[in-house]
Amino acid sequence: MPHPVEPTAAPVVRDDAVPPGSWNEVFAEPADVEVRVEVAAHWITTRRGLIDFKDPVTKRSGLEARPQLISLLVGVIRHPEHGDYLIDSGIDRSLAEGDSEAIRGVLDRVLETLMPVEDIASMRRRLDLDLQGVFLTHTHFDHVLGLPDIPREVPVYVGEREVDRKGLLNALQRRGHERVYRGRPPLAGLRTADGIPLAPFDHAIDLFGDRSVWALPVPGHTAGSMVYLVNARSGPVLFLGDTSHTRWGWDHGVGPGLFSEDREQNARALDTLRMFVAAHPEIDVVVGHEFD
Ligand SMILES: [Zn+2]
């Protein structure tokens, strides 16, 4: 069975929060939050998954469909009042230590090319994180592998419409799926209806009620996919998740290929995000699986 998702409110709801009229208004007053990107692992996978080779832009470019080295990324948000949060979950210690049973249990061949850099327990210690929650961009296997190292009382958020499709669950062998979620309560499903309209988005969820961190529902790659925007003092940072795995995809406006559940819907989301960043060039964009 797929792991359940239960609709839940944002981590902090403030009744006195005044909705902003525009993103300009939001960015004019950055929050006192820190944000960083960490690399949990490297992984070689197929470019046909990462890039839509049916897109005419890809065809014209002459891009080759060959294996590509990517990274599993973890975003770290440090909020002065509400503690520390992760964006996606990296990998757990047993994978980092090359526990062959863990790897067999998770994905067999798919993970043969996984090269661990740092597990999430080590990252928590190194950065001395006061971990209060995890915001998943979506639940594809390469975003949930660190969950066994996240205490079960720490809430794990994702879009409320996220479900594991049958085909995905076949790819991610049942035993591995159970291992990743063992003992964990339902995922906390951020409710689209809790978002406010903030052009070009119909629903922008203010996660702490203070305009510091936003969840933007972008169904397409998966039904419950989210991108996260951190309105940091050092400048706004947008975590795209797998709306675009690669920098090439983002630069050329081409979404993922085989890995997306609904390519057309994801392409629309990607267009909206590119329009948003074109209007606010101060935004630093972190694509799903590349970091330099
Ligand atoms: Zn991914």
Side-chain angles (χ1 to χ4, degrees):
M1 288 292 290
H3 200 69
V5 178
E6 208 170 82
T8 316
V12 180
V13 177
R14 281 174 39 176
D15 295 333
D16 60 339
V18 181
S22 71
W23 288 106
N24 282 333
E25 203 184 305
V26 174
F27 298 148
E29 290 185 41
D32 195 19
V33 289
E34 281 175 41
V35 59
R36 60 196 291 157
V37 182
E38 298 288 338
V39 176
H42 299 296
W43 183 38
I44 298 170
T45 186
T46 169
R47 203 177 256 170
R48 287 192 186 281
L50 306 172
I51 300 279
D52 187 356
F53 276 81
K54 290 182 181 162
D55 191 305
V57 173
T58 313
K59 287 182 181 164
R60 278 199 301 275
S61 75
L63 191 75
E64 276 179 65
R66 57 174 174 78
Q68 181 165 337
L69 179 69
I70 60 172
S71 303
L72 266 57
L73 304 179
V74 178
V76 180
I77 299 169
R78 314 201 76 164
H79 191 293
E81 279 172 58
H82 303 303
D84 302 330
Y85 285 76
L86 302 180
I87 297 177
D88 289 330
S89 71
I91 60 168
D92 81 331
R93 194 179 324 186
S94 64
L95 282 176
E97 287 172 353
D99 178 337
S100 62
E101 194 185 347
I103 289 184
R104 261 204 317 278
V106 174
L107 269 178
D108 253 346
R109 297 229 181 109
V110 182
L111 285 184
E112 268 176 13
T113 56
L114 186 82
M115 290 157 273
V117 174
E118 185 179 33
D119 63 76
I120 216 72
S122 303
M123 205 180 286
R124 283 182 66 188
R125 273 198 307 277
R126 176 171 59 86
L127 298 174
D128 192 23
L129 296 182
D130 166 28
L131 192 60
Q132 298 297 312
V134 177
F135 299 124
L136 297 176
T137 57
H138 62 300
T139 57
H140 280 168
F141 71 89
D142 54 315
H143 298 256
V144 299
L145 293 172
L147 292 185
D149 277 357
I150 308 284
R152 59 195 61 171
E153 63 273 16
V154 172
V156 177
Y157 298 89
V158 71
E160 65 179 331
R161 292 172 194 163
E162 188 76 341
V163 282
D164 279 308
R165 287 217 179 153
K166 203 161 169 249
L168 179 69
L169 200 56
N170 289 341
L172 183 156
Q173 295 174 354
R174 197 166 297 273
R175 197 153 59 97
H177 182 272
E178 282 165 7
R179 178 184 161 277
V180 163
Y181 291 105
R182 189 176 296 146
R184 185 167 291 284
L187 300 182
L190 293 166
R191 296 183 297 232
T192 300
D194 287 348
I196 58 163
L198 206 51
F201 304 102
D202 295 334
H203 305 277
I205 306 168
D206 184 352
L207 291 171
F208 299 108
D210 61 0
R211 306 183 182 184
S212 62
V213 185
W214 298 79
L216 307 168
V218 287
H221 183 65
T222 63
S225 279
M226 285 284 188
V227 303
Y228 296 99
L229 178 74
V230 185
N231 185 27
R233 179 92 43 210
S234 53
V237 181
L238 183 66
F239 288 86
L240 286 184
D242 290 354
T243 308
S244 179
H245 296 81
T246 61
R247 177 57 62 173
W248 190 94
W250 172 255
D251 289 344
H252 292 81
V254 176
L258 303 175
F259 295 162
S260 271
E261 291 174 9
D262 186 330
R263 291 193 204 192
E264 284 179 22
Q265 196 182 24
N266 187 78
R268 287 196 293 276
L270 193 58
D271 286 347
T272 302
L273 290 163
R274 280 164 48 93
M275 195 168 72
F276 174 53
V277 172
H280 302 280
E282 70 271 35
I283 296 174
D284 194 4
V285 172
V286 181
V287 300
H289 285 285
E290 283 182 320
F291 182 62
D292 37 53

